[in-house]
Amino acid sequence: MSNNPVQTVSTSNDKYKVILAVVAAIAGVAAFYILAGQATWIRAIALVVGLLVAVGFVATSEMGRDFVSFAKEAVRETKKVVWPTRKEAGQITAVVFGFVLVMALFLWGTDQLIGFLLYDVILGWKK
């Protein structure tokens, strides 16, 4: 017997909530532009209300709850990260710059060698 997790298909109510959220966000932005002759704070309130209604609809859907759960898990994981000290970061940076310098010299030398072999030895063209 297998232990495959069961995934549920989102209900049509969740789809309607997402559609309503999109409509509310569009309505908030549209109200912001329609109220162009009004005071700026009235326009801002219309925009914020539309966006808050949209966030409310999304937050009550399964997709919104999954996103909030994912965001909490991401924050929990970033707290587990061990960041390097200033000295370690400087050492790592120096190693990277040193490697880039060595690779640049290697590629320049390889280019010069191939150019010499191709133009001077094989084709006989002198520069």
Side-chain angles (χ1 to χ4, degrees), residues 67-102:
F67 177 75
V68 169
S69 173
F70 171 76
K72 287 179 182 178
E73 185 69 26
V75 169
R76 191 176 309 121
E77 287 297 321
T78 56
K79 289 180 180 179
K80 295 178 183 178
V81 174
V82 177
W83 298 101
T85 64
R86 183 175 179 90
K87 182 180 177 184
E88 291 171 337
Q91 290 172 343
I92 293 169
T93 303
V95 167
V96 168
F97 276 117
F99 180 75
V100 167
L101 181 65
V102 169

Side-chain angles (χ1 to χ4, degrees), residues 20-78:
L20 286 173
V22 170
V23 169
I26 291 171
V29 172
F32 180 81
Y33 286 107
I34 290 172
L35 298 173
Q38 302 294 323
T40 305
W41 65 273
I42 294 174
R43 296 174 66 201
I45 288 175
L47 177 64
V48 169
V49 166
L51 294 177
L52 286 176
V53 169
V55 167
F57 278 125
V58 170
T60 59
S61 70
E62 184 179 343
M63 182 180 70
R65 289 189 299 272
D66 289 346
F67 177 75
V68 169
S69 173
F70 171 76
K72 287 179 182 178
E73 185 69 26
V75 169
R76 191 176 309 121
E77 287 297 321
T78 56

Side-chain angles (χ1 to χ4, degrees), residues 3-15:
N3 277 337
N4 292 333
V6 177
Q7 286 189 334
T8 59
V9 178
S10 63
T11 64
S12 61
N13 287 339
D14 283 342
K15 292 177 187 174

